[in-house]
Amino acid sequence: MPIFIQEQFITYVNDFIRLQHALQEAFIQQNPGVRDWECLTDVPRAGEIYAAGERWRYDRHGKGVMFTNDKGLVIDVHDHVLAEGIVDAHRMNEFISSLRQAKGPDEDWYQECSRMLHEMASMGRLVRTAAGEETWRLV
């Protein structure tokens, strides 16, 4: 049985992408001297930015950055930090998990996010970023 209603999931994706874009822009503006946007070796490990009308904390991890606001909302740009409109099951799982109160004992939100992203792609709303990757771009 589906965990998410299709229209609800599409709204989540659009909200996520809007917030991710605002955070990416603010993060880039705050770090004008960064040269290594691939591995983020010269990006501060943690800090704060102001985006989308509120304060966000960020923590660099691997090739990505996780942003968290004061309400606990999570936007995890875990790779492709400069790419706009990117979404994947990990990003959506983290975002939706931070929005919703509780999940049932048998609910696997990551798998459900993956399934819904594939469904959005089959509807022509998303395109794969590269062959073999489970990373998508909003059309």
Side-chain angles (χ1 to χ4, degrees), residues 13 32 45-46 59 69 77-79 85 97-98 100 104 106 112 117:
V13 168
R45 173 126 340 252
D59 294 292
N69 71 7
V77 186
H78 67 99
D79 59 8
S97 293
S98 71
R100 297 184 71 170
D106 296 328
E112 181 70 356
L117 291 168

Side-chain angles (χ1 to χ4, degrees), residues 83 88 121 127:
D88 59 32
V127 294

Side-chain angles (χ1 to χ4, degrees), residues 64-97:
V65 181
M66 180 182 285
F67 299 94
T68 308
N69 71 7
D70 292 334
K71 298 171 195 150
L73 186 62
V74 173
I75 303 291
D76 190 359
V77 186
H78 67 99
D79 59 8
H80 304 288
V81 172
L82 296 180
E84 292 185 30
I86 298 293
V87 66
D88 59 32
H90 172 79
R91 293 176 199 223
M92 292 309 304
N93 179 59
E94 292 294 317
F95 177 66
I96 294 168
S97 293

